Amino acid sequence: MKFTAEQETIFDFVRAGSGHGIIDAVAGAGKTTTIMECVRFTEAPNRVLFCAFNNAIAQEIRRKFKKRGLGMVSVQTNHSLGLRLLRQNPTFDRKSKISDLKYLSIYKSDAMQRTLGPLKTELVELNGLKGTSGGARAFAAKNLEFKIQRKLLDMNQKHRSCLNGPKETRFREMVMHYGIFNDAEECGEHFEEELKIYFQMHRMLLEEGNRVAAEEGLIDFTDMIYLPFIWKLESPVRYQWIFIDECQDLSKAQFAIAAKYGKKGSRILAVGDPRQSIYGFTGADAESFDRIKRMTKATQLPLTLSFRCPKAVIELAQTIRPDIRGSKRRKGKVSEILRSNILRHLKQEDMVISRLRAPLLLLAFDLIDKNARVQLAPDEVNEVMSELKSLFKPAERQATIKRQYKSFKAFAEQVESRNLWVIRQDGGQMPNPDAREKYLEAEAEYLKRRLEFLGRKYRQWSAECRSIDAVLDRIKEYLSSKKDAIRLSTIHRAKGLEEKRVFILDYDKMPLHRHGQKDWEMVQEENLQYVAITRAEESLYLVLSTEAEEELIKEGQAK
């Protein structure tokens, strides 16, 4: 294999350089291949640790190292490294139990509800529910309880990923950074009082979670990277080289775990693309690349040549990352198309990606209506099915529609009325009138489209599908096709994927703007646009939204 001058410079740095390094690699530059090749230039490959972003990538890299005769390289995820530290700790149960629902179970436990009870009562009073009665109070109380649960679990996860520390000032900074409260709540008369209450509740929940981990061995996945840090655990096994892939998406806790496996004289080589940092909302550090570079005093090494994208796609990507270059001679194609024309263009094995799930789901409906097979990632299928199920009460999903409601129309009217009421309640909390109006209009239309589709499928499949659950099961089969399918994905899940022909839905709405958006969120939206563009190996189709299409029709420009 012939390597580029930039790759050769990186190999020289590993072989003859000193100190730590960080590779700034554009999309499609072969960054993982490059750092895997770097192992050949280390003195002792058996003293090399390779940190992979997730289990699937780790398995693939182990396979590739073994094929190259380098099976002695230790390939781990940051979470597996953290779990190893926990299990090497003599005071921790080696037979630990892992549950990602750990903190939800703790929160819902009778003991924790009694502990939090007085503070939750204070929140009820601050939210003006004291003195109200009847159905309005019941709904408002249930809604507040859901918000408390969601906020506390979000705070808990972010705190552990960010290694946020115990101070109330740091807690406030974290909450504001991640927008855990919406604009209306932050502008509320009692916001500072509420924040203090949430801080107390957060500390109580966290302390109980730490106790359960220490005494019962029950942990979740974030505990794997958090507990070794607060328990000050150190690894008896140290490595001469630590290679870190996808460093732009590491949380502070993840990097801290990797660093525990180094020793005096060890060298770190991290690789990433700051423009592919898109997981800031999960607790990943949106400035991870620059922070790692600063903390390690790393030498920055460029990888600017993309082997994936043709010239036309590279030119578009350069509007976001000017230094990206392409190795392909062919021009390729970048085309704008209307949303109403997309079905004419789509072929089997094409990939369609979207910033938001709603446009993706509506396209899936159109494809199913055409009896086309669709492939979503398994976890995305589950999320789509959960979204559709959430429109109905369990009894409604299970009921025989014809027997219980006489007709689907009568049934749908009942479901639509209830969900519209919820939409209006949620929208009513938005302080900006324009944003509120757009939200209500969009959500009402989206609700209508989903119910209309379910109605069509019920009528089409009524001989075999007599309930909503049966209809949903049939839809799930369409979304889970393995062969001859059109791949649909959100941009977040499309990262790392590539395809000859790629379609980006609602491209004219990118980067996505929201009222009250923070600076780092705006940067992440631009990064998502860059990730979407750089999935295409041959042809890229920029699909205009229905709103843009309507404007073009008004102006007489639609084709």
Side-chain angles (χ1 to χ4, degrees), residues 182-184 425-433 435-437 439-440 515:
N182 64 37
D183 291 351
Q425 293 297 309
D426 290 342
Q429 299 177 30
M430 300 175 72
N432 183 280
R436 180 169 61 248
E437 184 178 350
Y439 169 82
L440 293 174
H515 180 73

Side-chain angles (χ1 to χ4, degrees), residues 281-297:
F281 69 97
T282 67
D285 187 350
E287 299 178 354
S288 178
F289 187 94
D290 289 333
R291 182 175 53 79
I292 291 172
K293 178 184 174 183
R294 185 175 62 253
M295 287 176 60
T296 61
K297 299 179 181 179

Side-chain angles (χ1 to χ4, degrees), residues 86-94 213-217 231 233:
L86 290 176
R87 288 180 171 165
Q88 289 171 348
N89 179 17
T91 63
F92 185 76
D93 185 356
R94 289 174 181 268
E215 297 179 10
E216 302 174 23
W231 288 349
L233 303 180

Side-chain angles (χ1 to χ4, degrees), residues 32-308:
T32 303
T33 299
T34 301
I35 58 171
M36 287 182 68
E37 188 65 21
C38 284
V39 173
R40 295 191 183 278
F41 301 97
T42 63
E43 293 180 0
N46 63 322
R47 304 305 299 155
V48 171
L49 172 64
F50 189 107
C51 298
F53 191 66
N54 57 39
N55 281 323
I57 294 173
Q59 290 172 8
E60 179 65 11
I61 288 173
R62 285 191 200 104
R63 185 188 66 77
K64 289 181 177 179
F65 271 134
K66 190 174 182 179
K67 188 176 180 180
R68 297 180 186 193
L70 294 169
M72 71 290 289
V73 176
S74 178
V75 181
Q76 305 289 333
T77 65
N78 296 84
H79 287 77
S80 67
L81 290 170
L83 183 60
R84 181 193 290 181
L85 288 175
L86 290 176
R87 288 180 171 165
Q88 289 171 348
N89 179 17
T91 63
F92 185 76
D93 185 356
R94 289 174 181 268
K95 297 180 180 179
S96 54
K97 300 177 286 292
I98 301 171
S99 170
D100 225 24
L101 299 177
K102 168 189 166 179
Y103 271 94
L104 176 62
S105 299
I106 292 173
Y107 174 79
K108 288 188 171 182
S109 68
D110 292 341
M112 183 54 61
Q113 288 300 306
R114 286 194 297 271
T115 301
L116 298 178
L119 293 171
K120 289 169 74 173
T121 299
E122 289 185 46
L123 287 177
V124 168
E125 293 176 358
L126 288 174
N127 279 270
L129 300 186
K130 190 174 182 181
T132 59
S133 60
R137 176 181 172 80
F139 174 82
K142 186 177 180 180
N143 195 38
L144 179 60
E145 168 57 31
F146 173 75
K147 286 182 179 179
I148 292 171
Q149 174 184 305
R150 178 176 56 79
K151 284 183 169 63
L152 278 177
L153 294 178
D154 195 11
M155 293 167 181
N156 174 273
Q157 194 276 330
K158 297 289 197 306
H159 170 89
R160 291 181 292 147
S161 293
C162 299
L163 301 180
N164 198 55
K167 293 184 179 179
E168 188 173 349
T169 52
R170 292 292 303 278
F171 171 79
R172 190 185 196 286
E173 289 170 4
M174 178 191 76
V175 165
M176 301 303 287
H177 175 80
Y178 287 106
I180 292 175
F181 292 86
N182 64 37
D183 291 351
E185 291 167 332
E186 289 180 9
C187 295
E189 181 183 357
H190 303 292
F191 176 65
E192 294 300 331
E193 294 173 73
E194 287 191 52
L195 204 55
K196 289 182 180 296
I197 294 171
Y198 272 104
F199 175 69
Q200 295 176 60
M201 296 169 78
H202 158 70
R203 296 304 305 178
M204 291 173 178
L205 184 63
L206 183 67
E207 287 167 12
E208 178 62 10
N210 292 346
R211 184 198 67 77
V212 167
E215 297 179 10
E216 302 174 23
L218 178 63
I219 60 173
D220 66 5
F221 289 98
T222 306
D223 277 340
M224 294 179 190
I225 56 174
Y226 167 70
L227 293 175
F229 179 81
I230 64 163
W231 288 349
K232 297 181 171 59
L233 303 180
E234 299 297 333
S235 172
V237 179
R238 304 295 177 109
Y239 295 88
Q240 291 177 354
W241 272 101
I242 300 174
F243 291 87
I244 302 175
D245 200 6
E246 302 286 4
C247 72
Q248 79 281 347
D249 283 322
L250 293 187
S251 68
K252 289 181 181 178
Q254 285 174 300
F255 180 75
I257 288 294
K260 283 180 176 289
Y261 284 82
K263 59 183 179 181
K264 187 175 181 180
S266 294
R267 295 176 69 187
I268 294 172
L269 182 64
V271 61
D273 181 353
R275 274 301 187 180
Q276 291 191 73
S277 172
I278 59 175
Y279 289 105
F281 69 97
T282 67
D285 187 350
E287 299 178 354
S288 178
F289 187 94
D290 289 333
R291 182 175 53 79
I292 291 172
K293 178 184 174 183
R294 185 175 62 253
M295 287 176 60
T296 61
K297 299 179 181 179
T299 299
Q300 184 164 321
L301 303 156
L303 270 183
T304 59
L305 189 64
S306 175
F307 299 100
R308 178 187 300 149

Side-chain angles (χ1 to χ4, degrees), residues 21 50 55 378-379 385 451 523:
F50 189 107
N55 281 323
D379 53 350
M385 300 317 297
L451 290 175
V523 172

Side-chain angles (χ1 to χ4, degrees), residues 215-463:
E215 297 179 10
E216 302 174 23
L218 178 63
I219 60 173
D220 66 5
F221 289 98
T222 306
D223 277 340
M224 294 179 190
I225 56 174
Y226 167 70
L227 293 175
F229 179 81
I230 64 163
W231 288 349
K232 297 181 171 59
L233 303 180
E234 299 297 333
S235 172
V237 179
R238 304 295 177 109
Y239 295 88
Q240 291 177 354
W241 272 101
I242 300 174
F243 291 87
I244 302 175
D245 200 6
E246 302 286 4
C247 72
Q248 79 281 347
D249 283 322
L250 293 187
S251 68
K252 289 181 181 178
Q254 285 174 300
F255 180 75
I257 288 294
K260 283 180 176 289
Y261 284 82
K263 59 183 179 181
K264 187 175 181 180
S266 294
R267 295 176 69 187
I268 294 172
L269 182 64
V271 61
D273 181 353
R275 274 301 187 180
Q276 291 191 73
S277 172
I278 59 175
Y279 289 105
F281 69 97
T282 67
D285 187 350
E287 299 178 354
S288 178
F289 187 94
D290 289 333
R291 182 175 53 79
I292 291 172
K293 178 184 174 183
R294 185 175 62 253
M295 287 176 60
T296 61
K297 299 179 181 179
T299 299
Q300 184 164 321
L301 303 156
L303 270 183
T304 59
L305 189 64
S306 175
F307 299 100
R308 178 187 300 149
C309 306
K311 288 182 179 179
V313 174
I314 291 293
E315 288 169 5
L316 183 59
Q318 285 172 340
T319 62
I320 300 173
R321 176 154 191 175
D323 63 336
I324 187 172
R325 300 176 296 126
S327 66
K328 290 184 176 179
R329 292 183 179 180
R330 63 178 178 272
K331 181 71 174 176
K333 182 170 69 171
V334 175
S335 306
E336 278 191 359
I337 65 171
L338 303 180
R339 171 61 181 83
S340 60
N341 291 337
I342 189 172
L343 295 182
R344 296 186 210 164
H345 291 271
L346 283 174
K347 302 176 182 177
Q348 293 173 356
E349 298 184 358
D350 284 347
M351 182 163 68
V352 184
I353 53 182
S354 174
R355 170 63 184 90
L356 301 175
R357 187 191 298 143
L360 210 63
L361 185 54
L362 294 178
L363 176 61
F365 292 167
D366 291 341
L367 291 167
I368 294 172
D369 279 338
K370 297 288 185 183
N371 206 34
R373 294 289 166 176
V374 179
Q375 183 186 95
L376 275 74
D379 53 350
E380 201 142 32
V381 171
N382 292 334
E383 289 175 9
V384 165
M385 300 317 297
S386 295
E387 177 188 321
L388 293 175
K389 287 179 179 179
S390 70
L391 300 176
F392 308 93
K393 296 176 181 178
E396 290 173 336
R397 295 202 315 266
Q398 297 160 12
T400 301
I401 293 173
K402 191 171 182 180
R403 183 186 308 157
Q404 186 77 21
Y405 302 99
K406 306 303 180 187
S407 70
F408 188 90
K409 182 180 178 182
F411 170 58
E413 286 175 353
Q414 177 179 311
V415 173
E416 184 176 23
S417 177
R418 182 179 66 247
N419 280 278
L420 281 174
W421 188 86
V422 174
I423 289 169
R424 286 192 290 269
Q425 293 297 309
D426 290 342
Q429 299 177 30
M430 300 175 72
N432 183 280
D434 291 337
R436 180 169 61 248
E437 184 178 350
K438 288 180 181 177
Y439 169 82
L440 293 174
E441 183 179 343
E443 287 298 309
E445 178 63 21
Y446 184 43
L447 172 62
K448 179 183 175 184
R449 294 282 298 276
R450 285 176 289 175
L451 290 175
E452 285 177 345
F453 173 73
L454 292 172
R456 287 198 303 275
K457 296 301 105 179
Y458 168 72
R459 287 185 287 272
Q460 182 182 343
W461 302 333
S462 59

